[in-house]
Amino acid sequence: MEKGTIPTCVDCGTQNCKYKDRTYPDFCPTDNLKEEDRQWALERYDEGRNREIMIASAEVEYEGYCQWTRVQEIMEFARKIGAHRIGIANCIGLIREARIFARILRANGFEAYSVICKVAGQPKTSMGIPAQCESIGAAMCNPILQARLLNEAHTDLNVVIGLCVGHDSLFYKYSDAYVTTLVTKDRVTGNNPTAALYTADSYYRKKFFGGK
């Protein structure tokens, strides 16, 4: 690590929090955890449906481990939590993918309800977005309205398909229903953002790390 860097979990080489037969590094948050923080987190699982969601998530991970695609995992998770009306918050650039997903949902007994990112067609400049941003499209994305309309539709679970960086953050914040992500947009890598990580020490090294 670079001098002055505060080590965190990404700097750990033992992962003893998982394996329990190794040694925690000195900086490990598990080994240095305050009991009040542990208890606070555990108590949150008793709020609302959090414990049910956590159990369903673990069951889906176990039952479909290395067998189910994420599309399948989402449907199995939805069944476990009794979610029937599935909201889709999709980017207009991924309308084809959203349509395919909706078709799959409907074929498997779910109700699909989509709200596209450009809903309302609000001009970007009307929100103080610089005019040059309209060169790639005049209408702003409207993740807060997407969330509101899905809330009004009383969706049981919302699925994000390709919302832009930051727009997804606002959608997560204002969605009443629990949210999971099916597609993370990356225009350069064909919506496979980990490709840049896999090539960070080769093709993308200079782009990410400069001359280092």
Side-chain angles (χ1 to χ4, degrees), residues 157-184:
L157 175 70
N158 289 331
V159 179
V160 166
I161 296 183
L163 296 188
C164 295
V165 171
H167 298 157
D168 54 1
S169 302
L170 289 170
F171 180 81
Y172 299 142
K173 180 176 181 179
Y174 287 95
S175 171
D176 287 344
Y178 287 95
V179 183
T180 191
T181 299
L182 176 57
V183 181
T184 301

Side-chain angles (χ1 to χ4, degrees), residues 187-207:
R187 297 178 181 89
V188 174
T189 65
N191 301 321
N192 178 22
T194 56
L197 303 180
Y198 297 143
T199 57
D201 291 321
S202 55
Y203 301 115
Y204 274 81
R205 183 175 180 82
K206 288 185 179 180
K207 184 179 290 288

Side-chain angles (χ1 to χ4, degrees), residues 32-169:
N32 294 285
L33 190 64
K34 292 184 291 186
E35 185 59 27
E36 63 188 84
D37 289 337
R38 183 198 304 272
Q39 288 302 316
W40 178 88
L42 292 176
E43 289 169 4
R44 299 290 78 73
Y45 290 107
D46 289 325
E47 292 181 352
R49 302 182 66 191
N50 290 350
R51 185 177 297 274
E52 176 191 358
I53 297 298
M54 191 64 184
I55 292 172
S57 302
E59 289 176 345
V60 167
E61 178 190 17
Y62 165 72
E63 293 168 10
Y65 198 75
C66 293
Q67 299 181 66
W68 294 342
T69 65
R70 191 169 180 94
V71 169
Q72 292 169 289
E73 287 186 333
I74 289 172
M75 290 193 295
E76 293 302 325
F77 173 71
R79 289 188 180 102
K80 286 181 180 292
I81 65 170
H84 175 69
R85 177 174 285 192
I86 310 299
I88 302 174
N90 62 288
C91 168
I92 198 167
L94 282 88
I95 184 62
R96 178 175 179 272
E97 292 83 350
R99 285 173 176 155
I100 293 170
F101 182 55
R103 194 165 77 241
I104 292 170
L105 289 174
R106 290 164 180 161
N108 284 270
F110 296 98
E111 181 181 352
Y113 192 100
S114 166
V115 179
I116 207 162
C117 63
K118 300 297 185 181
V119 62
Q122 187 79 19
K124 290 178 180 176
T125 51
S126 70
M127 286 291 295
I129 297 172
Q132 61 264 30
C133 294
E134 292 192 346
S135 65
I136 57 171
M140 63 176 269
C141 294
N142 206 331
I144 294 178
L145 183 56
Q146 280 180 292
R148 181 177 176 87
L149 294 179
L150 290 177
N151 293 343
E152 291 181 350
H154 302 291
T155 52
D156 304 312
L157 175 70
N158 289 331
V159 179
V160 166
I161 296 183
L163 296 188
C164 295
V165 171
H167 298 157
D168 54 1
S169 302

